[in-house]
Every structure is written in structure tokens, then in C-alpha cells.
Amino acid sequence: MKKIIYLIVLFSVLNTFSQNSNDIGKISLSIVMPENLEDLDDSNLSNLETKILEIVNKTGLSGTGYNNNFVIYPKFTIYNTKISKGMQNITFIDCELSLFIKQVDNNMVFSSISKKLNGNGLSKQEAISNAIDTLDSTEEAFSKFIEKGKSRIIQYYESKCADLIVQADGLAKRQSYEEAITLLLSVPSEVSCFSKVQSKTIEIYKSYQSYRCGGLLQQAQSDAAQNDFSSSLSSLSQIDPSSKCGPEAKALMAKIEGKIDAANRQQFQAAMMVYKDAVQLEKQRINAVRDIAVEYARNQPKPVTNNYLILIR
């Protein structure tokens, strides 16, 4: 009996909201898994997801990302099931796992691979788990599969880089600064326009700073008036010196310098550092845009998880 189980139309995207700053500049593949499949229980699905994540991470890509435009997803095929009867019945299965790297926007498959697997166990679930366990994430075929997908993704960004910068500019003009920054940070470091993207990101960040610095300054002034210098410094440290509020923020810091106690002294020195050290200021900007992208992605609504299954027997 041949049974093919796979997904169409909509996916349940896992790992989408576990981004961190270390993913900046990496090609990101959101791992797509069904919430349920006939014959595969939760343990089987979790095991398969872990294997896919290992395959992705071993090639230097990120299994998480700032958008869901590129995904990697499996198709699991059970060709044959046999039960050997004895004191303990043993289930044997012949199956195949296929992996696909796909661009969601245009439904294009960038790379694919299929591996035949065999497994056995005291139950069908154990046999499936055993088959998944035989996958070797270090196998060269998987590396070639990922590298092909990576190459195609880089080609995509090479062709779209100018358009993405224009799109980010448009978002910034509509004051959708966080979305614009997140869009730009999705561009991999291998793309030739990466330095232009970084410059545009900092430019939009500065506009974002000028947009929100008034509120931060007002909060800092209010906290300082109540002698809550820790909260005041926290707000002041988020104001970029190049923003329109930069001079007022620096003046407020000078005003409260003589009022802070030893507990706040280190916080004060860290906040002042960006006004004195251009290198430190640039580092702060890079960290800030990363944090903005992480937070923006985390706060996006989760994708619809209605799954459509086709079973061919």
C-alpha cells in the first residue's frame, strides 16, 4: 500500500517567533510542519522537526527568521507496512521523506530532496520514529540540497534588492518604521547590496528616532522630576544623539549627573558613552535595529493554521 501525506495551500509555521539578534544577515528558513498527520503522532512530528532544524543549522543557515517568505517543509510517504507476528509483533515500514525549500510569495520551489527510509518497532509510531532517527543530518546530499536553495535565495535578493530598498523607503514615509527595518534586515549578508541595505537601515532608524524621541524625552523628564533616575536614564539611553532631541537629552543627563547615587553611576556612564564614542554609538544603533526587528516579528499575528491534507492511497 502506498500512502502519500502532504500539505497544500496553508501551513502551520513553527519557530517563526523565536528570532534573536544573531540571525541578522543569515538566510532564514521558517520550518513548516503540519499540526497533525495521519500515522504521525506529536512525538513523530517533533522528532522530524528537530531533524530538519539540524539539517538547516549545520549548513550555517538560520531555522528562524524575520519573515515567512522562505520556508522548508516535508512530505512523508509510507509505501509499505508489514507486521511480523511473534511473541511480540514487530511493525516494519518502508517510507520516503522529501524536503522542499519554497518561496511563499510566488509558490516557487527552490530546492528539493528525497530520501528512502526504513524503520521498525513494536508499533507503527515506533517504526516511524525509528525511520526518522536513521536520518543523518550531516549527509552531503542534505548540504547540497540546502546550498542549492541558498544560492537561489541569494539570486532572488540580488534581483530584488533595489525594489526592497524602495519598498522600505515607502514604509518609512508612512511611519511604518519597524516594518521597514525588519524588511531590510531580511537581506542576507552574502548579497552584493548588503552594505547599501545597512546604510538605509540606519537612515530609517534615525528617522524613527526623531519620530519617537519626543515621547522618550518627556518620560525621562517626568521620571527625573520624581527622582526616579534609573527610569529616566533608561529612556535617555534610547535617544540617539543625532535625533532632534539629542541636545535636550544630553542637557538633561548633565543636569541629573550630580543627583544620581552610586547604584545609578554605571548606568549613567553607559548612557553617556554614546555621546562621547562614535564607535559605541554605531554599536548601539546596530543593536537597536536588531531589537526592533526581533520585537516587530514577535508581535506579528501567527499565521492561520488550517491545514489541507491530501491522502493518496
Side-chain angles (χ1 to χ4, degrees):
M1 178 179 71
K2 179 179 179 181
K3 183 183 295 182
I4 303 176
I5 308 171
Y6 59 99
L7 296 175
I8 61 171
V9 187
L10 296 177
F11 299 97
S12 173
V13 180
L14 304 180
N15 289 332
T16 305
F17 301 97
S18 55
Q19 295 92 343
N20 61 73
S21 296
N22 294 327
D23 293 334
I24 297 294
K26 286 187 178 182
I27 294 175
S28 299
L29 297 174
S30 294
I31 298 177
V32 172
M33 296 291 292
E35 288 192 328
N36 56 74
L37 282 179
E38 184 178 328
D39 294 321
L40 275 70
D41 61 15
D42 290 344
S43 178
N44 296 148
L45 290 172
S46 177
N47 193 12
L48 180 57
E49 183 191 358
T50 298
K51 284 289 185 179
I52 295 172
L53 188 60
E54 287 178 3
I55 290 169
V56 173
N57 288 342
K58 284 184 183 297
T59 58
L61 272 67
S62 170
T64 62
Y66 292 95
N67 59 43
N68 301 330
N69 195 22
F70 295 99
V71 299
I72 180 169
Y73 68 96
K75 181 176 74 174
F76 197 86
T77 307
I78 299 176
Y79 287 106
N80 192 32
T81 302
K82 294 180 181 179
I83 298 178
S84 177
K85 295 186 177 181
M87 292 184 66
Q88 285 188 315
N89 292 346
I90 304 295
T91 299
F92 294 85
I93 62 167
D94 300 316
C95 51
E96 183 176 70
L97 173 68
S98 298
L99 296 176
F100 303 87
I101 295 175
K102 176 179 177 179
Q103 185 181 10
V104 176
D105 285 352
N106 60 19
N107 208 35
M108 182 181 293
V109 174
F110 279 16
S111 186
S112 63
I113 188 174
S114 294
K115 298 291 293 183
K116 293 187 182 299
L117 306 171
N118 307 103
N120 64 83
L122 297 178
S123 66
K124 195 168 189 176
Q125 276 64 46
E126 280 192 16
I128 292 171
S129 181
N130 176 247
I132 294 171
D133 284 340
T134 64
L135 282 169
D136 181 4
S137 60
T138 65
E139 192 173 335
E140 185 179 0
F142 287 124
S143 295
K144 290 181 178 179
F145 156 69
I146 295 292
E147 286 301 322
K148 180 181 178 181
K150 178 180 178 180
S151 177
R152 294 284 300 277
I153 290 171
I154 290 174
Q155 290 174 22
Y156 164 80
Y157 278 110
E158 289 284 4
S159 67
K160 295 292 184 181
C161 194
D163 292 339
L164 291 174
I165 291 174
V166 170
Q167 184 181 347
D169 254 335
L171 288 168
K173 288 176 182 177
R174 297 194 297 273
Q175 298 183 344
S176 297
Y177 299 107
E178 296 96 330
E179 185 178 356
I181 288 170
T182 304
L183 174 65
L184 291 172
L185 291 187
S186 69
V187 177
S189 59
E190 293 94 335
V191 179
S192 60
C193 68
F194 186 69
S195 60
K196 292 182 180 179
V197 167
Q198 283 187 309
S199 297
K200 177 58 67 174
T201 303
I202 297 302
E203 177 186 321
I204 291 176
Y205 169 71
K206 289 179 179 179
S207 297
Y208 173 65
Q209 268 287 311
S210 292
Y211 169 74
R212 68 190 292 262
C213 72
L216 288 170
L217 180 62
Q218 186 176 20
Q219 184 62 53
Q221 291 169 336
S222 175
D223 290 332
Q226 299 176 51
N227 294 325
D228 184 356
F229 300 117
S230 179
S231 295
S232 181
L233 288 169
S234 179
S235 294
L236 289 170
S237 67
Q238 297 177 60
I239 298 176
D240 192 286
S242 67
S243 72
K244 63 183 181 182
C245 305
E248 289 181 86
K250 186 176 181 180
L252 178 58
M253 291 179 69
K255 182 178 179 180
I256 67 176
E257 181 178 9
K259 301 179 181 180
I260 60 176
D261 56 22
N264 296 129
R265 179 61 54 182
Q266 187 174 357
Q267 185 182 8
F268 174 83
Q269 291 172 344
M272 278 297 295
M273 185 68 69
V274 299
Y275 289 88
K276 300 177 180 179
D277 188 334
V279 174
Q280 187 65 30
L281 174 58
E282 195 62 24
K283 286 181 179 179
Q284 177 172 298
R285 286 171 176 165
I286 292 171
N287 289 333
V289 296
R290 288 174 172 176
D291 290 343
I292 288 168
V294 170
E295 190 63 23
Y296 178 83
R298 183 181 293 123
N299 290 331
Q300 295 312 293
K302 291 185 178 181
V304 178
T305 57
N306 295 334
N307 299 317
Y308 293 80
L309 303 181
I310 292 180
L311 278 70
I312 302 175
R313 298 180 183 273

mmCIF file with all atom_site columns, all heavy atoms in Angstrom, residues 274-286:
data_model
loop_
_atom_site.group_PDB
_atom_site.id
_atom_site.type_symbol
_atom_site.label_atom_id
_atom_site.label_alt_id
_atom_site.label_comp_id
_atom_site.label_asym_id
_atom_site.label_entity_id
_atom_site.label_seq_id
_atom_site.pdbx_PDB_ins_code
_atom_site.Cartn_x
_atom_site.Cartn_y
_atom_site.Cartn_z
_atom_site.occupancy
_atom_site.B_iso_or_equiv
_atom_site.pdbx_formal_charge
_atom_site.auth_seq_id
_atom_site.auth_comp_id
_atom_site.auth_asym_id
_atom_site.auth_atom_id
_atom_site.pdbx_PDB_model_num
ATOM 1   N N   . VAL A 1 274 ? 27.655 56.889 24.514 1.00 0.00 ? 274 VAL A N   1
ATOM 2   C CA  . VAL A 1 274 ? 27.298 57.060 23.102 1.00 0.00 ? 274 VAL A CA  1
ATOM 3   C C   . VAL A 1 274 ? 27.472 58.510 22.649 1.00 0.00 ? 274 VAL A C   1
ATOM 4   O O   . VAL A 1 274 ? 27.553 58.787 21.445 1.00 0.00 ? 274 VAL A O   1
ATOM 5   C CB  . VAL A 1 274 ? 25.851 56.598 22.830 1.00 0.00 ? 274 VAL A CB  1
ATOM 6   C CG1 . VAL A 1 274 ? 25.682 55.124 23.146 1.00 0.00 ? 274 VAL A CG1 1
ATOM 7   C CG2 . VAL A 1 274 ? 24.846 57.429 23.617 1.00 0.00 ? 274 VAL A CG2 1
ATOM 8   N N   . TYR A 1 275 ? 27.510 59.461 23.600 1.00 0.00 ? 275 TYR A N   1
ATOM 9   C CA  . TYR A 1 275 ? 27.716 60.858 23.247 1.00 0.00 ? 275 TYR A CA  1
ATOM 10  C C   . TYR A 1 275 ? 29.204 61.178 23.067 1.00 0.00 ? 275 TYR A C   1
ATOM 11  O O   . TYR A 1 275 ? 29.560 62.194 22.496 1.00 0.00 ? 275 TYR A O   1
ATOM 12  C CB  . TYR A 1 275 ? 27.133 61.769 24.330 1.00 0.00 ? 275 TYR A CB  1
ATOM 13  C CG  . TYR A 1 275 ? 25.622 61.779 24.349 1.00 0.00 ? 275 TYR A CG  1
ATOM 14  C CD1 . TYR A 1 275 ? 24.921 60.856 25.099 1.00 0.00 ? 275 TYR A CD1 1
ATOM 15  C CD2 . TYR A 1 275 ? 24.900 62.712 23.599 1.00 0.00 ? 275 TYR A CD2 1
ATOM 16  C CE1 . TYR A 1 275 ? 23.528 60.845 25.115 1.00 0.00 ? 275 TYR A CE1 1
ATOM 17  C CE2 . TYR A 1 275 ? 23.519 62.717 23.605 1.00 0.00 ? 275 TYR A CE2 1
ATOM 18  C CZ  . TYR A 1 275 ? 22.837 61.778 24.367 1.00 0.00 ? 275 TYR A CZ  1
ATOM 19  O OH  . TYR A 1 275 ? 21.458 61.775 24.380 1.00 0.00 ? 275 TYR A OH  1
ATOM 20  N N   . LYS A 1 276 ? 30.049 60.287 23.574 1.00 0.00 ? 276 LYS A N   1
ATOM 21  C CA  . LYS A 1 276 ? 31.490 60.548 23.561 1.00 0.00 ? 276 LYS A CA  1
ATOM 22  C C   . LYS A 1 276 ? 32.249 59.650 22.583 1.00 0.00 ? 276 LYS A C   1
ATOM 23  O O   . LYS A 1 276 ? 33.364 59.979 22.187 1.00 0.00 ? 276 LYS A O   1
ATOM 24  C CB  . LYS A 1 276 ? 32.066 60.340 24.969 1.00 0.00 ? 276 LYS A CB  1
ATOM 25  C CG  . LYS A 1 276 ? 31.463 61.245 26.020 1.00 0.00 ? 276 LYS A CG  1
ATOM 26  C CD  . LYS A 1 276 ? 32.029 60.918 27.398 1.00 0.00 ? 276 LYS A CD  1
ATOM 27  C CE  . LYS A 1 276 ? 31.438 61.811 28.480 1.00 0.00 ? 276 LYS A CE  1
ATOM 28  N NZ  . LYS A 1 276 ? 31.975 61.489 29.832 1.00 0.00 ? 276 LYS A NZ  1
ATOM 29  N N   . ASP A 1 277 ? 31.672 58.502 22.248 1.00 0.00 ? 277 ASP A N   1
ATOM 30  C CA  . ASP A 1 277 ? 32.390 57.490 21.472 1.00 0.00 ? 277 ASP A CA  1
ATOM 31  C C   . ASP A 1 277 ? 31.577 57.133 20.232 1.00 0.00 ? 277 ASP A C   1
ATOM 32  O O   . ASP A 1 277 ? 30.524 56.510 20.321 1.00 0.00 ? 277 ASP A O   1
ATOM 33  C CB  . ASP A 1 277 ? 32.617 56.255 22.346 1.00 0.00 ? 277 ASP A CB  1
ATOM 34  C CG  . ASP A 1 277 ? 33.526 55.233 21.689 1.00 0.00 ? 277 ASP A CG  1
ATOM 35  O OD1 . ASP A 1 277 ? 33.590 55.203 20.453 1.00 0.00 ? 277 ASP A OD1 1
ATOM 36  O OD2 . ASP A 1 277 ? 34.153 54.448 22.411 1.00 0.00 ? 277 ASP A OD2 1
ATOM 37  N N   . ALA A 1 278 ? 32.090 57.502 19.053 1.00 0.00 ? 278 ALA A N   1
ATOM 38  C CA  . ALA A 1 278 ? 31.375 57.242 17.801 1.00 0.00 ? 278 ALA A CA  1
ATOM 39  C C   . ALA A 1 278 ? 31.236 55.742 17.544 1.00 0.00 ? 278 ALA A C   1
ATOM 40  O O   . ALA A 1 278 ? 30.211 55.285 17.017 1.00 0.00 ? 278 ALA A O   1
ATOM 41  C CB  . ALA A 1 278 ? 32.109 57.905 16.635 1.00 0.00 ? 278 ALA A CB  1
ATOM 42  N N   . VAL A 1 279 ? 32.250 54.974 17.924 1.00 0.00 ? 279 VAL A N   1
ATOM 43  C CA  . VAL A 1 279 ? 32.194 53.519 17.727 1.00 0.00 ? 279 VAL A CA  1
ATOM 44  C C   . VAL A 1 279 ? 31.094 52.915 18.587 1.00 0.00 ? 279 VAL A C   1
ATOM 45  O O   . VAL A 1 279 ? 30.319 52.064 18.137 1.00 0.00 ? 279 VAL A O   1
ATOM 46  C CB  . VAL A 1 279 ? 33.554 52.874 18.052 1.00 0.00 ? 279 VAL A CB  1
ATOM 47  C CG1 . VAL A 1 279 ? 33.456 51.352 17.985 1.00 0.00 ? 279 VAL A CG1 1
ATOM 48  C CG2 . VAL A 1 279 ? 34.624 53.374 17.092 1.00 0.00 ? 279 VAL A CG2 1
ATOM 49  N N   . GLN A 1 280 ? 31.021 53.358 19.834 1.00 0.00 ? 280 GLN A N   1
ATOM 50  C CA  . GLN A 1 280 ? 29.987 52.861 20.748 1.00 0.00 ? 280 GLN A CA  1
ATOM 51  C C   . GLN A 1 280 ? 28.599 53.255 20.246 1.00 0.00 ? 280 GLN A C   1
ATOM 52  O O   . GLN A 1 280 ? 27.647 52.480 20.351 1.00 0.00 ? 280 GLN A O   1
ATOM 53  C CB  . GLN A 1 280 ? 30.223 53.436 22.148 1.00 0.00 ? 280 GLN A CB  1
ATOM 54  C CG  . GLN A 1 280 ? 29.306 52.867 23.233 1.00 0.00 ? 280 GLN A CG  1
ATOM 55  C CD  . GLN A 1 280 ? 29.535 51.396 23.472 1.00 0.00 ? 280 GLN A CD  1
ATOM 56  O OE1 . GLN A 1 280 ? 30.642 50.897 23.289 1.00 0.00 ? 280 GLN A OE1 1
ATOM 57  N NE2 . GLN A 1 280 ? 28.491 50.687 23.884 1.00 0.00 ? 280 GLN A NE2 1
ATOM 58  N N   . LEU A 1 281 ? 28.488 54.448 19.696 1.00 0.00 ? 281 LEU A N   1
ATOM 59  C CA  . LEU A 1 281 ? 27.211 54.911 19.156 1.00 0.00 ? 281 LEU A CA  1
ATOM 60  C C   . LEU A 1 281 ? 26.772 54.019 17.996 1.00 0.00 ? 281 LEU A C   1
ATOM 61  O O   . LEU A 1 281 ? 25.594 53.644 17.908 1.00 0.00 ? 281 LEU A O   1
ATOM 62  C CB  . LEU A 1 281 ? 27.331 56.359 18.685 1.00 0.00 ? 281 LEU A CB  1
ATOM 63  C CG  . LEU A 1 281 ? 26.119 56.948 17.950 1.00 0.00 ? 281 LEU A CG  1
ATOM 64  C CD1 . LEU A 1 281 ? 24.868 56.881 18.820 1.00 0.00 ? 281 LEU A CD1 1
ATOM 65  C CD2 . LEU A 1 281 ? 26.402 58.384 17.517 1.00 0.00 ? 281 LEU A CD2 1
ATOM 66  N N   . GLU A 1 282 ? 27.720 53.677 17.124 1.00 0.00 ? 282 GLU A N   1
ATOM 67  C CA  . GLU A 1 282 ? 27.375 52.826 15.979 1.00 0.00 ? 282 GLU A CA  1
ATOM 68  C C   . GLU A 1 282 ? 26.949 51.433 16.443 1.00 0.00 ? 282 GLU A C   1
ATOM 69  O O   . GLU A 1 282 ? 26.012 50.848 15.900 1.00 0.00 ? 282 GLU A O   1
ATOM 70  C CB  . GLU A 1 282 ? 28.578 52.728 15.033 1.00 0.00 ? 282 GLU A CB  1
ATOM 71  C CG  . GLU A 1 282 ? 28.243 52.178 13.653 1.00 0.00 ? 282 GLU A CG  1
ATOM 72  C CD  . GLU A 1 282 ? 27.264 53.047 12.890 1.00 0.00 ? 282 GLU A CD  1
ATOM 73  O OE1 . GLU A 1 282 ? 27.167 54.261 13.185 1.00 0.00 ? 282 GLU A OE1 1
ATOM 74  O OE2 . GLU A 1 282 ? 26.590 52.518 11.986 1.00 0.00 ? 282 GLU A OE2 1
ATOM 75  N N   . LYS A 1 283 ? 27.631 50.913 17.460 1.00 0.00 ? 283 LYS A N   1
ATOM 76  C CA  . LYS A 1 283 ? 27.248 49.613 18.012 1.00 0.00 ? 283 LYS A CA  1
ATOM 77  C C   . LYS A 1 283 ? 25.843 49.661 18.590 1.00 0.00 ? 283 LYS A C   1
ATOM 78  O O   . LYS A 1 283 ? 25.052 48.734 18.427 1.00 0.00 ? 283 LYS A O   1
ATOM 79  C CB  . LYS A 1 283 ? 28.240 49.191 19.111 1.00 0.00 ? 283 LYS A CB  1
ATOM 80  C CG  . LYS A 1 283 ? 29.592 48.741 18.599 1.00 0.00 ? 283 LYS A CG  1
ATOM 81  C CD  . LYS A 1 283 ? 30.487 48.324 19.752 1.00 0.00 ? 283 LYS A CD  1
ATOM 82  C CE  . LYS A 1 283 ? 31.849 47.853 19.256 1.00 0.00 ? 283 LYS A CE  1
ATOM 83  N NZ  . LYS A 1 283 ? 32.740 47.456 20.391 1.00 0.00 ? 283 LYS A NZ  1
ATOM 84  N N   . GLN A 1 284 ? 25.537 50.759 19.268 1.00 0.00 ? 284 GLN A N   1
ATOM 85  C CA  . GLN A 1 284 ? 24.211 50.892 19.861 1.00 0.00 ? 284 GLN A CA  1
ATOM 86  C C   . GLN A 1 284 ? 23.143 50.932 18.766 1.00 0.00 ? 284 GLN A C   1
ATOM 87  O O   . GLN A 1 284 ? 22.066 50.341 18.922 1.00 0.00 ? 284 GLN A O   1
ATOM 88  C CB  . GLN A 1 284 ? 24.123 52.160 20.707 1.00 0.00 ? 284 GLN A CB  1
ATOM 89  C CG  . GLN A 1 284 ? 22.720 52.382 21.295 1.00 0.00 ? 284 GLN A CG  1
ATOM 90  C CD  . GLN A 1 284 ? 22.681 53.515 22.278 1.00 0.00 ? 284 GLN A CD  1
ATOM 91  O OE1 . GLN A 1 284 ? 23.346 53.484 23.309 1.00 0.00 ? 284 GLN A OE1 1
ATOM 92  N NE2 . GLN A 1 284 ? 21.898 54.544 21.970 1.00 0.00 ? 284 GLN A NE2 1
ATOM 93  N N   . ARG A 1 285 ? 23.425 51.617 17.690 1.00 0.00 ? 285 ARG A N   1
ATOM 94  C CA  . ARG A 1 285 ? 22.456 51.689 16.593 1.00 0.00 ? 285 ARG A CA  1
ATOM 95  C C   . ARG A 1 285 ? 22.207 50.306 15.982 1.00 0.00 ? 285 ARG A C   1
ATOM 96  O O   . ARG A 1 285 ? 21.064 49.940 15.694 1.00 0.00 ? 285 ARG A O   1
ATOM 97  C CB  . ARG A 1 285 ? 22.960 52.661 15.522 1.00 0.00 ? 285 ARG A CB  1
ATOM 98  C CG  . ARG A 1 285 ? 22.856 54.117 15.924 1.00 0.00 ? 285 ARG A CG  1
ATOM 99  C CD  . ARG A 1 285 ? 23.568 55.018 14.935 1.00 0.00 ? 285 ARG A CD  1
ATOM 100 N NE  . ARG A 1 285 ? 23.384 56.434 15.272 1.00 0.00 ? 285 ARG A NE  1
ATOM 101 C CZ  . ARG A 1 285 ? 24.116 57.422 14.767 1.00 0.00 ? 285 ARG A CZ  1
ATOM 102 N NH1 . ARG A 1 285 ? 25.094 57.142 13.903 1.00 0.00 ? 285 ARG A NH1 1
ATOM 103 N NH2 . ARG A 1 285 ? 23.872 58.668 15.113 1.00 0.00 ? 285 ARG A NH2 1
ATOM 104 N N   . ILE A 1 286 ? 23.285 49.549 15.785 1.00 0.00 ? 286 ILE A N   1
ATOM 105 C CA  . ILE A 1 286 ? 23.148 48.208 15.211 1.00 0.00 ? 286 ILE A CA  1
ATOM 106 C C   . ILE A 1 286 ? 22.324 47.319 16.129 1.00 0.00 ? 286 ILE A C   1
ATOM 107 O O   . ILE A 1 286 ? 21.423 46.590 15.688 1.00 0.00 ? 286 ILE A O   1
ATOM 108 C CB  . ILE A 1 286 ? 24.539 47.592 14.953 1.00 0.00 ? 286 ILE A CB  1
ATOM 109 C CG1 . ILE A 1 286 ? 25.241 48.358 13.829 1.00 0.00 ? 286 ILE A CG1 1
ATOM 110 C CG2 . ILE A 1 286 ? 24.419 46.113 14.593 1.00 0.00 ? 286 ILE A CG2 1
ATOM 111 C CD1 . ILE A 1 286 ? 26.690 47.976 13.630 1.00 0.00 ? 286 ILE A CD1 1
#
